[in-house]
């Protein structure tokens, strides 16, 4: 029997009157929402609105924590002292928790964003700081991240639950990491390819790397980016394809 798969998307990525993601429509498709907590995107009103919509639809709420980088959308490399990063991770989780509880639910997991996400795949010090921040906020919060990352290994060592995720619309290196966005072909834009890669990841736990090699990527959650053109239609197609193939779509927490 195929393991159930969670569908997560980055939501609440707006600021003031500017909105990047179609939160309402995506929340009708995904089972988990990675909500921007104000450091790379998002603000108090946006966080509250997304939490209310997610609660209404039974979608799990995750804190998408980031480096403090609104201008760069959290995608610029930064060197943040570990104690400062831990405090800022806890701060972001706490801010989102206020709005989640007001909506009758709670923050169910934590996922880093952008440059921080990629940094904690290999960087022991920054990964440890993120783990310390999660522990400071809630020592029972699951952490969502890339398989075999330093973040997940340190989180497990600290007693935090962990879950692995994969990306159907991102190219992979032969080592199982994501091809940096600045390189050609890092983002896969062909919808049919993304849909079929989603099914392959869910059923076989593997994906074709940029060199054409089939590599294992065992994941409990599949990320659907909400900031790409046609994101809602693509998300619907992915879910429909998975369910038609007999894959059960459900939240990982």
């Amino acid at each position: 029997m195929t393991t159930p798969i969670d569908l997560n998307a980055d939501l609440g990525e707006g600021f003031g009157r500017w909105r990047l993601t179609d939160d309402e429509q995506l929340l009708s498709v995904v089972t988990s929402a990675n909500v921007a907590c104000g450091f790379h995107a998002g603000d108090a009103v946006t966080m509250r609105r997304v939490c209310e919509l997610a609660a209404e639809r039974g979608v799990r709420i995750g804190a998408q924590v980031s480096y403090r980088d609104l201008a760069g959308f959290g995608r610029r490399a930064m060197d943040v002292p570990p104690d400062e990063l831990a405090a800022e991770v806890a701060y972001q989780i706490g801010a989102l928790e206020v709005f989640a509880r007001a909506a009758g639910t709670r923050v169910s997991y934590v996922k880093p964003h952008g440059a921080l996400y990629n940094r904690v795949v290999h960087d022991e010090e920054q990964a440890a700081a993120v783990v310390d921040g999660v522990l400071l906020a809630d020592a029972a919060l699951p952490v969502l991240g890339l398989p075999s990352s330093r973040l997940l290994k340190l989180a497990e060592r600290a007693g935090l639950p962990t879950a692995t995720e994969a990306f159907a619309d991102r190219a992979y290196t032969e080592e199982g990491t994501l091809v940096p966005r600045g390189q050609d072909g890092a983002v896969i834009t062909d919808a049919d390819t993304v849909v079929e890669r989603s099914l392959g990841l869910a059923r076989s736990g593997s994906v074709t790397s940029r060199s054409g090699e089939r590599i294992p990527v065992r994941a409990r959650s599949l990320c659907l980016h909400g900031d790409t053109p046609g994101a809602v239609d693509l998300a619907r197609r992915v879910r429909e394809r998975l369910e038609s193939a007999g894959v059960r779509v459900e939240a990982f927490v």
Side-chain angles (χ1 to χ4, degrees):
M1 181 177 291
T2 304
T3 301
I5 195 78
D6 170 65
L7 296 179
N8 77 76
D10 302 344
L11 302 179
E13 291 186 326
F15 193 81
R17 297 176 62 185
W18 176 74
R19 292 187 184 182
L20 177 63
T21 50
D22 189 342
D23 300 328
E24 187 165 0
Q25 293 301 314
L26 284 167
L27 283 167
S28 68
V29 181
V30 301
T31 46
S32 297
N34 318 313
V35 184
C37 300
F39 273 39
H40 76 279
D43 54 39
V45 173
T46 303
M47 285 191 281
R48 182 179 184 182
R49 175 177 54 82
V50 175
C51 285
E52 289 173 347
L53 289 170
E56 289 173 4
R57 291 167 183 166
V59 175
R60 301 294 187 269
I61 294 171
Q64 188 165 40
V65 297
S66 171
Y67 287 127
R68 188 189 292 271
D69 182 27
L70 275 175
F73 197 61
R75 287 181 176 162
R76 296 185 293 190
M78 303 182 77
D79 288 312
V80 180
D83 58 343
E84 183 178 331
L85 180 57
E88 292 190 337
V89 166
Y91 179 92
Q92 293 175 77
I93 297 168
L96 188 63
E97 179 71 6
V98 168
F99 298 115
R101 288 190 177 275
T105 182
R106 60 164 300 169
V107 172
S108 296
Y109 65 96
V110 178
K111 173 186 171 179
H113 164 82
L116 181 59
Y117 186 97
N118 292 319
R119 182 78 171 267
V120 297
V121 170
H122 302 294
D123 191 307
E124 184 98 4
E125 185 178 70
Q126 296 283 279
V130 172
V131 170
D132 287 344
V134 176
L135 291 170
L136 184 60
D138 184 341
L141 272 179
V143 177
L144 181 62
L146 208 65
S148 301
S149 64
R150 296 309 305 162
L151 174 66
L152 294 194
K153 289 178 180 178
L154 292 176
E156 290 173 356
R157 191 180 303 168
L160 291 168
T162 61
T164 55
E165 74 169 336
F167 298 80
D169 63 350
R170 290 293 306 276
Y172 278 82
T173 68
E174 295 68 35
E175 293 75 35
T177 59
L178 300 179
V179 174
R181 279 184 176 269
Q183 296 184 16
D184 290 340
V187 179
I188 298 166
T189 57
D190 181 74
D192 292 338
T193 300
V194 173
V195 170
E196 291 310 310
R197 281 166 65 93
S198 299
L199 182 60
L201 284 162
R203 297 186 75 173
S204 67
S206 63
V207 70
T208 302
S209 72
R210 61 180 171 181
S211 67
E213 178 184 352
R214 200 73 182 170
I215 58 171
V217 181
R218 301 282 176 187
R220 178 63 178 83
S221 186
L222 185 64
C223 181
L224 304 174
H225 283 107
D227 60 347
T228 55
V232 174
D233 288 339
L234 180 57
R236 288 194 178 116
R237 284 189 59 188
V238 167
R239 179 156 187 167
E240 289 168 0
R241 183 72 176 97
L242 292 173
E243 292 179 332
S244 67
V247 178
R248 192 164 76 253
V249 177
E250 64 180 33
F252 71 92
V253 288

